């Protein structure tokens, strides 16, 4: 295997491991809401602060990440953010009071959120254009495998057998282990030797993105899709277990296994949808996966409303509902990254991720938890919004292939 390809495999593999564990750790409190409600007896407005604080933390992280761009390498920023979040979340699992818990989850979100932009930089540093979708899919499929499939099974099982704080401690320790493995696996940036001849101010100036034609339109559309996808992911994560428990009369750990099928669909889709987009185009891939996932979500709401369905039926629909998440790496990484003609492509993902976190992952899920609508109704609305928005993918403009280099620099000796 040639040196650039070998380094690409190491970079993507290490990034996938740490990004997957970041999302396992991030989504753990959402899956545990049904247990926290039972074990702590908290009111709806108190529980609504969980997705709000986490999402706002990730939103603030976009500003922190922008400041760090050009000051630290992508590899260092990822390790610093993931490792710092793991340590803070260990503390959040051990602290006693609810306000202190929320504050620590917010701070952990600020640290963990800084991981997303440099991961896009990692892809664009090592992957040629023909494999950008594939490599982004591998990174984001890990978030679905660990965050949407493994996380609900693991954390709910630990919470049922011990308590919800033990479950959060387990997730945080796994993140710390993944961060250490990432640092050992991932090679330094390929341009590290060139940076020696430039000042810090010059490196920051070189990191400023210059948009390609139609770049602003694509970033705007990516932001809209990011909001919808984040809302769908978080609504399913925080309301899915409780709706399944109420509709099918099963235990929380059984509900976790059923909702885990959402992770199976999301994992497969996040791997294959971006890979397919390398061939059929970003717009068709986004539109198709969004339409299929939204339709499955509407079917899921109907099945849960009936209440007498066998457990495999909602599990299958959860899996198809997860197909929408195949477009998440395109909306939050590849599409905005390709909108940059030169400079740091990681900066282009800041607005899509910011919108996804503030609106999709914080405000809308928090409103859903306040109980203005039944939880099943929030699932229906989120799925309907996905289905209705699928047509927007037609407005995405393919980047000019002649404007962007497909070459990957050879790493320094």
């Amino acid at each position: 295997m040639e040196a650039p390809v070998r380094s690409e495999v190491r970079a993507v593999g290490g990034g996938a491991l740490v990004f997957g564990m970041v999302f396992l750790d991030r989504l753990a409190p959402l899956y545990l809401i049904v247990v926290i409600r039972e074990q702590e007896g908290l009111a709806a407005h108190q529980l609504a602060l969980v997705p709000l604080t986490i999402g706002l933390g990730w939103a603030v992280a976009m500003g922190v990440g922008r400041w760090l761009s050009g000051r630290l390498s992508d590899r260092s920023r990822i390790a610093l953010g993931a490792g710092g979040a793991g340590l803070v979340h260990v503390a959040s699992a051990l602290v006693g009071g609810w306000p202190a818990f929320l504050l620590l989850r917010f701070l952990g979100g600020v640290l963990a959120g800084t991981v997303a932009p440099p991961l896009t930089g990692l892809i664009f540093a090592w992957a040629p254009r023909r494999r950008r979708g594939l490599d982004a899919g591998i990174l984001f499929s890990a978030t679905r495998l660990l965050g949407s499939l493994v996380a609900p099974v693991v954390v709910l099982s630990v919470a049922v057998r011990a308590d919800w704080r033990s479950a959060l401690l387990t997730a945080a320790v796994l993140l710390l282990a993944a961060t250490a493995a990432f640092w050992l696996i991932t090679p330094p940036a390929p341009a590290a030797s060139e940076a020696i001849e430039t000042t810090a101010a010059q490196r920051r100036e070189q990191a400023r993105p210059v948009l390609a034609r139609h770049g602003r339109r694509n970033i705007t559309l990516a932001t809209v899709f990011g909001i919808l996808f984040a809302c769908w992911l978080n609504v399913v994560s925080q309301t899915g277990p409780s709706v399944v428990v109420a509709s099918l009369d099963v235990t929380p750990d059984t509900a976790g296994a059923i909702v885990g099928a959402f992770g199976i669909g999301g994992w497969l889709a996040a791997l294959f949808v971006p890979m397919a987009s390398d061939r059929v185009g970003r717009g068709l891939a986004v539109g198709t996966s969004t339409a299929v996932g939204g339709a499955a979500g509407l079917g899921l709401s109907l099945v849960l409303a009936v209440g007498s369905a066998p457990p495999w039926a909602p599990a299958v629909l959860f899996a198809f509902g997860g197909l929408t998440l195949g477009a998440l790496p395109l909306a939050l990484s590849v599409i905005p990254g390709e909108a940059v003609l030169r400079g740091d492509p990681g900066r282009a993902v800041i607005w899509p991720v910011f919108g996804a976190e503030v609106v999709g992952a914080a405000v809308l899920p928090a409103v859903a938890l306040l109980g203005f609508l039944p939880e099943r109704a929030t699932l229906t609305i989120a799925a309907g919004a996905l289905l209705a928005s699928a047509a927007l993918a037609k407005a995405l403009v393919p980047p000019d292939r002649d404007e962007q280099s497909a070459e990957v620099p050879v790493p320094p000796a």
Side-chain angles (χ1 to χ4, degrees), residues 149-173:
L149 173 58
V150 176
V153 177
V154 170
V155 300
L156 286 169
S157 295
V158 173
V160 167
R161 288 159 179 77
D163 55 51
W164 62 275
R165 291 187 181 276
S166 298
L168 290 180
L169 181 61
T170 301
V173 170

Side-chain angles (χ1 to χ4, degrees), residues 2-12 74-75 118-132 135 186-192 406-412:
E2 295 181 0
V5 176
R6 187 164 58 246
S7 296
E8 178 188 352
V9 170
R10 289 171 56 198
V12 173
D74 290 335
R75 180 169 172 259
L119 279 171
T120 295
L122 205 67
I123 294 172
F124 278 74
W126 288 110
R129 179 182 173 80
R130 66 182 181 278
R131 286 200 299 271
R132 283 178 190 164
D135 287 353
T186 308
E407 299 301 321
V408 177
V410 177

